[in-house]
Amino acid sequence: MATETLSRERVLEIIEECGGDKEHLLSILIEIQRECRRNYINEASARVVAEKLDIPLVQLYDILTFYAMLETKPRGRYIIEVCNNAPCYISKSHVMAKFLRKELGINFGETTPDGMFSLQYMPCVGACNIGPVIKIGDKVYGNLNEERIRKILKELRENAQ
Amino acid sequence: MAKTIQLLTARCGKIRPDSVADYIAHDGFSALKKAMNMDPMQIINEVIDAKLLGRGGASYPAGKKWKQLYEIEGDPKYIVCNADEGEPGTFKDMVLLEKDPLSIIEGMAIAGYVFNSHDGYIYIRGEYREIQKLFQAAIDNAVKANYLGDNIMGSNFSFHVHIVSGAGAYICGENSGLLNSIEAKTGRPRVKPPHLAEVGLYSKPTLVNNVESFASVPQIVNMGGKAFQELGVEDSGGTKLICLSGNVKRRGTFEIPIGGVTLRDIIFDPEFGGGIPDGKELKCYHLGGQSGPIGFPEQLDTRYDHTSLKKVGLSIGSGAVVVLDDTICMIDYLKKVSEFFIHESCGKCVPCREGNRQMYMILHKFATGLATEKDFERLERLSFTMSTASSCGLGQSACTALDSCLLHRREEFEAHINGICPVCLNSRKYGDQYAY
């Protein structure tokens, strides 16, 4: 369902679906971001939200840049988030991180040239009992090794086609 | 004899989480019924007698918090449940949210009845998107069955629960930051006082409790405060969900009676952690999340309750127990902790924003063998400044882990000055170091 950019109508629909008031601002922004193929919130969408919820655009920008889950610049279609907090570190998450960098040929904070994958760190998602973990979309993958990571990447590449 | 207990987790896995019928079949909503025939002050007294210490991390007595709010004039009052579980190594709230959401709703509704509040908010972290959906289904079902919503069970008491999503900010777990976030602001903490009981959500009197605290409330009402307290120890009643992770054979969530086990049991007993895997030795364990203290093998025989742990400089915090084996270098681990706080500091106050960066840089000097004796003094002064001058709990507690290491394992820091840390020299050989 992901599209390149969301129409004004769709943004308004999402606002309604999420409750339509300021209290649900973060859910609204997360949903907008999820529907955008490049996993970010562009200025046009932000303007619609600001206008509809009566929030100054500058305050909305403050919010967009404050919360780690929200992004104002285009990213890859799939965002691979690696937990780098201490419990996963103990479970050798840094080895997984190194392997992912090698496998994708990009550093953390970067996107592959084909726009398929972005690599970034994330805070603890409460899956320390199956560390080291990565998260792609809403799905958390645990007990990782190199073989499993290869398989996950392969499946995602196939899905995208 | 089994050392675990099933009180808050009794229903987990046995019922469909969003089903009101299943919940009632397992004693659900009986506490709400009972509470609605009680005087609010009577309920508060039960919570006080229960000696329920807040389960979010700060261990503030819940009964005291409730009494303070009760004595404050103001209308409306708001009930807020803090489900922004972001403390690394903690996943206990997730278990309750995922497997027994109605117990949290019931606890919130009882609080709503006590304070004659009509609106409750539960702030669930953005990463738990699936759980938010499940929780909404549980709310909808409870409303349908008239245990929530308008005129609950035919009475004139109405209470609504709203879900608010977070978006990946650890600082929103700080209660005033959380309220700002609900108000569609950035989640930076407020200056206190005034306390949230006086000036909370939308500047109205507000009660903020953790998921586990709210889930304990129906138990307290049902069994009585005294009986709940007797499950634990004299000054801290009830049970606690602990989260074991890191280098142990069995990782996961366990429920224990407070004071019923020792740290040694938690890490080595087959019923819990079952010891350290791959024939390694225990090096230390980090309690209560990143902002908690680090414990060492010589403290293992301490009982797991608030008072006993406090005596040896440890604390329960959120209930996290992260176990480290002897292949992990203390300095490396502390750098990891420090990285976390650099990332999560909201940037509002200088001691926290700059202090964490400085701390990381000094630790990095130790890691690379460039530190001198003078750096000990720098670390200690920095830690003192941050813990006294930071504006909120995040900055104040960011040095707790470092402090316990400086106190108990100074020799490991010294070894780095002399360039002979046996652990990290070893791992460097295998290329594990500086993976980033």
Side-chain angles (χ1 to χ4, degrees):
Chain A
M1 272 293 285
T3 54
E4 217 56 57
T5 47
L6 270 68
S7 66
R8 184 187 162 82
E9 287 67 38
R10 183 62 197 138
V11 173
L12 290 172
E13 259 174 50
I14 292 175
I15 295 174
E16 280 315 304
E17 282 165 18
C18 292
D21 55 18
K22 277 188 191 180
E23 275 165 11
H24 296 98
L25 176 65
L26 294 177
S27 325
I28 292 167
L29 294 173
I30 290 171
E31 292 306 317
I32 292 174
Q33 181 166 290
R34 282 175 57 85
E35 279 201 20
C36 175
R37 190 189 293 267
R38 300 299 300 273
N39 276 301
Y40 77 117
I41 295 159
N42 64 12
E43 194 180 323
S45 304
R47 278 185 189 280
V48 180
V49 176
E51 176 200 319
K52 179 76 184 165
L53 297 183
D54 196 21
I55 300 170
L57 189 63
V58 65
Q59 192 186 325
L60 189 62
Y61 185 70
D62 185 20
I63 287 166
L64 285 170
T65 49
F66 181 82
Y67 293 96
M69 278 175 75
L70 306 174
E71 190 52 68
T72 55
K73 293 190 184 70
R75 291 183 286 181
R77 175 149 182 203
Y78 296 109
I79 298 169
I80 302 177
E81 298 179 275
V82 181
C83 175
N84 69 336
N85 285 166
C88 270
Y89 172 71
I90 297 167
S91 313
K92 304 266 181 270
S93 65
H94 50 296
V95 180
M96 290 299 116
K98 204 173 169 184
F99 177 72
L100 272 165
R101 276 191 340 189
K102 205 179 86 195
E103 199 64 17
L104 296 171
I106 51 171
N107 267 319
F108 279 80
E110 293 179 354
T111 303
T112 51
D114 60 356
M116 187 68 75
F117 298 109
S118 287
L119 199 53
Q120 61 186 54
Y121 289 119
M122 64 168 179
C124 182
V125 284
C128 320
N129 52 332
I130 52 168
V133 299
I134 60 171
K135 183 163 161 265
I136 302 169
D138 285 334
K139 200 162 175 210
V140 174
Y141 301 84
N143 293 322
L144 293 174
N145 52 37
E146 298 192 351
E147 197 188 327
R148 270 209 76 193
I149 290 181
R150 273 207 194 94
K151 208 172 142 223
I152 293 164
L153 294 180
K154 190 164 162 263
E155 274 168 18
L156 288 176
R157 282 202 180 96
E158 280 165 5
N159 269 350
Q161 275 160 15
Chain B
M1 198 186 111
K3 286 171 178 164
T4 52
I5 184 171
Q6 272 81 41
L7 185 74
L8 302 185
T9 51
R11 279 181 289 261
C12 292
K14 294 193 188 115
I15 60 168
R16 284 167 295 167
D18 58 350
S19 158
V20 171
D22 286 13
Y23 184 65
I24 291 172
H26 287 77
D27 215 21
F29 288 121
S30 53
L32 181 61
K33 272 182 208 156
K34 187 175 170 191
M36 284 173 65
N37 290 314
M38 283 165 80
D39 178 58
M41 200 53 222
Q42 211 184 332
I43 300 174
I44 293 176
N45 282 331
E46 294 293 342
V47 177
I48 292 172
D49 289 344
K51 302 278 168 68
L52 173 68
L53 300 183
R55 303 296 196 231
S59 303
Y60 190 81
K64 203 169 153 192
K65 204 184 233 180
W66 284 40
K67 190 151 182 277
Q68 282 163 348
L69 181 66
Y70 191 74
E71 285 163 357
I72 288 166
E73 299 275 325
D75 186 64
K77 289 180 180 174
Y78 290 110
I79 308 297
V80 176
C81 177
N82 183 344
D84 190 51
E85 182 176 59
E87 192 65 68
T90 312
F91 37 97
K92 59 164 181 94
D93 292 347
M94 182 165 70
V95 172
L96 294 172
L97 289 163
E98 207 169 38
K99 297 189 171 150
D100 198 11
L102 286 160
S103 69
I104 304 160
I105 294 172
E106 187 177 2
M108 290 176 72
I110 292 171
Y113 170 77
V114 168
F115 300 108
N116 194 23
S117 159
H118 302 296
D119 286 288
Y121 290 85
I122 177 160
Y123 187 92
I124 306 180
R125 63 186 302 208
E127 288 87 347
Y128 291 174
R129 191 165 172 271
E130 294 300 315
I131 293 179
Q132 290 175 6
K133 286 186 202 157
L134 176 76
F135 206 90
Q136 188 61 53
I139 291 175
D140 294 344
N141 292 338
V143 171
K144 254 181 248 159
N146 199 223
Y147 288 105
L148 203 64
D150 293 324
N151 302 96
I152 292 173
M153 293 185 277
S155 70
N156 50 17
F157 167 56
S158 302
F159 187 69
H160 300 266
V161 175
H162 315 274
I163 298 179
V164 176
S165 170
Y170 171 76
I171 191 65
C172 290
E174 202 277 344
N175 289 344
S176 65
L178 185 147
L179 298 186
N180 277 345
S181 188
I182 298 179
E183 293 178 16
K185 296 174 186 157
T186 50
R188 295 192 185 92
R190 300 174 182 172
V191 175
K192 284 180 274 183
H195 290 285
L196 302 180
E198 293 165 278
V199 183
L201 186 62
Y202 300 117
S203 304
K204 298 291 179 191
T206 301
L207 175 80
V208 189
N209 275 141
N210 173 261
V211 166
E212 198 184 341
S213 306
F214 274 122
S216 300
V217 170
Q219 303 290 347
I220 293 171
V221 170
N222 265 341
M223 69 168 66
K226 188 80 189 122
F228 185 86
Q229 178 268 317
E230 279 166 1
L231 288 170
V233 292
E234 197 190 336
D235 39 20
S236 168
T239 66
K240 179 84 193 84
L241 296 184
I242 56 170
C243 314
L244 253 180
S245 63
N247 300 129
V248 280
K249 284 184 186 151
R250 293 179 72 220
R251 300 182 285 185
T253 312
F254 305 91
E255 186 172 9
I256 53 152
I258 287 179
V261 295
T262 63
L263 289 167
R264 187 183 298 282
D265 291 333
I266 292 173
I267 297 172
F268 289 100
D269 195 294
E271 204 180 327
F272 300 98
I276 316 294
D278 309 324
K280 308 259 175 60
E281 294 290 318
L282 171 71
K283 184 186 186 94
C284 60
Y285 40 92
H286 201 168
L287 297 181
Q290 300 292 274
S291 52
I294 291 180
F296 296 94
E298 59 267 31
Q299 292 157 318
L300 271 178
D301 290 311
T302 316
R303 297 205 82 75
Y304 194 79
D305 66 68
H306 296 83
T307 323
S308 309
L309 286 173
K310 200 176 169 189
K311 272 187 202 148
V312 293
L314 299 173
S315 66
I316 285 184
S318 66
V321 181
V322 180
V323 182
L324 282 72
D325 70 22
D326 57 357
T327 60
I328 292 159
C329 166
M330 206 73 257
I331 306 281
D332 266 352
Y333 183 76
L334 288 173
K335 270 176 72 182
K336 214 66 220 159
V337 174
S338 182
E339 253 176 44
F340 172 78
F341 284 113
I342 292 173
H343 185 257
E344 298 297 346
S345 171
C346 80
K348 184 174 173 176
C349 73
V350 178
C352 172
R353 186 184 65 224
E354 298 305 323
N356 279 308
R357 285 182 184 283
Q358 292 302 325
M359 187 162 92
Y360 182 83
M361 281 192 259
I362 300 174
L363 286 171
H364 188 65
K365 274 173 84 179
F366 275 98
T368 47
L370 295 172
T372 61
E373 279 293 327
K374 260 198 141 167
D375 286 306
F376 278 113
E377 200 189 314
R378 291 196 183 105
L379 272 182
E380 276 154 11
R381 276 185 54 186
L382 185 62
S383 159
F384 175 76
T385 310
M386 286 170 69
S387 55
T388 37
S390 292
S391 152
C392 81
L394 190 148
Q396 287 163 13
S397 58
C399 291
T400 316
L402 172 73
D403 288 345
S404 43
C405 290
L406 276 174
L407 185 67
H408 295 281
R409 288 294 183 271
R410 201 180 168 95
E411 62 274 17
E412 289 213 22
F413 290 79
E414 277 161 0
H416 280 84
I417 294 183
N418 303 326
I420 46 163
C421 172
V423 183
C424 63
L425 282 185
N426 192 29
S427 61
R428 254 174 221 149
K429 207 163 65 191
Y430 295 105
D432 273 4
Q433 211 71 15
Y434 307 121
Y436 296 110

